[in-house]
Amino acid sequence: MAEKTQRTYQQDIVGDGISSVQKVREPYKENGGRSIRYVLIGICALFLFVMLVLPLIVVITNALRDGWEAYKEAVLDEYTVKALQLTLFAAVVAVTVNTVFGLFASFLLSKFYFRGRRVLAALIDIPFSISPVIAGLVFILTFGNIGWMGDFLKAHDIKIMFAVPGVILATIFVTFPFVFRELFPVMNAQGTDEEEAAALMGAGGFTIFHRITFPHIRWALLYGVILCAARALGEFGAVSVISGHLRGKTNTLPLHVEILYNEFNTTAAFAVSSILVVLAMLILVARNVVEGLSRNRKF
């Protein structure tokens, strides 16, 4: 009798729980929820079509407007190839530097507590709040001929502005928070209990990081690398200010597109833009693959 009463009580609790969940969701169904859902889906679909799908169609259409031969000529042009090489090189260097920095910075701020910790985290977010054009001007005032370090760089025959090092420096600056911002929340939520237990059992620092810390952050790290690469490939503002727009030397793909468009060579400009579209699609696919793998794995 007691067991039956207890079972009945448990069923009532479960039933109340289900009914309470249903009551939370019922207002969206009772007050025209289905029509509202369709309206919201239509608005989202329209917005995505106008802002994303339509521009992509325009780029591909205009790139192939003069035929396949004109498209191939624009894509295989000497300056286009050099711009692509510089874009990929700057992106690889920026991703490598920012991955190392983001890993070290997130580890420092999540595992150690010290005075000024919040200030350091805020400083890392500066590129999110500063316009890339302003960042380029700051680099000119720092490393240019009239900048603070201008005389020193001249004396040692080091050229940063209007050269490849300046392009790489600007790309690193605008992208370095991305890996950190993906890693820090994960590391901070992980805590230090498992690592402290491993240290008490005699594990070394590298072993603790390799066996305990890294499995928790590997997907966040990979996701941050993908976002950083996407931002680096499309960087325009800061690079435009400090590159000097030297064809074949300091022009990245976005700058090369601008030059072609300003010269009224629209077909070639759209053809080169299609390369950036392909790169963006590849990065999007990589991001979705990483998201899917991270959801299907425990870590």
Side-chain angles (χ1 to χ4, degrees):
M1 183 67 179
E3 293 179 357
K4 183 177 180 181
T5 305
Q6 185 177 3
R7 190 180 304 113
T8 305
Y9 178 69
Q10 291 174 350
Q11 291 174 354
D12 292 340
I13 293 176
V14 173
D16 291 341
I18 295 175
S19 62
S20 63
V21 173
Q22 291 176 347
K23 288 179 180 178
V24 173
R25 295 179 180 176
E26 279 176 0
Y28 297 100
K29 295 181 179 179
E30 291 178 354
N31 301 325
R34 180 173 297 180
S35 59
I36 293 175
R37 180 178 60 185
Y38 290 150
V39 169
L40 293 177
I41 292 175
I43 292 174
C44 292
L46 179 62
F47 181 82
L48 290 175
F49 178 79
V50 173
M51 300 301 295
L52 295 177
V53 178
L54 186 60
L56 293 178
I57 295 175
V58 171
V59 169
I60 301 301
T61 303
N62 284 276
L64 299 173
R65 181 175 55 186
D66 293 339
W68 175 252
E69 291 298 327
Y71 175 83
K72 188 167 70 171
E73 181 181 355
V75 170
L76 298 179
D77 181 70
E78 176 186 1
Y79 294 124
T80 301
V81 174
K82 290 184 177 180
L84 176 61
Q85 291 174 346
L86 179 57
T87 301
L88 295 177
F89 178 69
V92 170
V93 175
V95 169
T96 302
V97 172
N98 292 329
T99 299
V100 175
F101 170 80
L103 190 59
F104 286 174
S106 57
F107 186 83
L108 171 66
L109 295 179
S110 62
K111 307 301 181 181
F112 300 93
Y113 296 89
F114 53 90
R115 186 174 298 178
R117 178 169 168 267
R118 294 180 180 273
V119 176
L120 181 59
L123 290 176
I124 295 176
D125 289 336
I126 285 180
F128 283 146
S129 58
I130 292 182
S131 169
V133 176
I134 301 301
L137 292 175
V138 170
F139 282 126
I140 288 180
L141 294 177
T142 304
F143 302 106
N145 293 331
I146 60 174
W148 295 343
M149 299 184 63
D151 295 335
F152 174 82
L153 295 176
K154 281 183 181 179
H156 294 80
D157 195 22
I158 301 174
K159 191 171 184 180
I160 296 179
M161 295 297 99
F162 312 119
V164 173
V167 174
I168 295 174
L169 188 64
T171 307
I172 291 174
F173 176 81
V174 299
T175 57
F176 80 82
F178 284 88
V179 177
F180 168 79
R181 271 299 151 199
E182 291 297 323
L183 286 178
F184 177 68
V186 178
M187 279 191 172
N188 200 37
Q190 178 187 358
T192 59
D193 294 340
E194 296 180 15
E195 295 158 334
E196 290 175 356
L200 289 175
M201 296 175 66
F206 180 78
T207 302
I208 294 174
F209 179 82
H210 177 68
R211 295 291 183 87
I212 298 176
T213 305
F214 183 74
H216 286 279
I217 67 170
R218 57 184 176 182
W219 296 114
L221 176 62
L222 188 55
Y223 192 68
V225 167
I226 292 174
L227 291 179
C228 183
R231 182 67 178 86
L233 291 173
E235 171 52 28
F236 177 83
V239 173
S240 177
V241 173
I242 67 176
S243 68
H245 293 77
L246 303 177
R247 272 186 168 177
K249 294 183 178 180
T250 61
N251 259 2
T252 58
L253 273 183
L255 299 183
H256 190 51
V257 171
E258 181 198 25
I259 290 177
L260 292 174
Y261 188 79
N262 290 336
E263 293 176 348
F264 301 100
N265 193 355
T266 55
T267 301
F270 281 108
V272 177
S273 298
S274 67
I275 301 176
L276 292 172
V277 171
V278 172
L279 293 175
M281 296 302 293
L282 291 176
I283 291 174
L284 180 62
V285 171
R287 191 201 68 175
N288 290 334
V289 169
V290 170
E291 286 184 348
L293 291 175
S294 62
R295 289 172 184 171
N296 295 331
R297 302 288 181 88
K298 187 175 181 180
F299 298 116

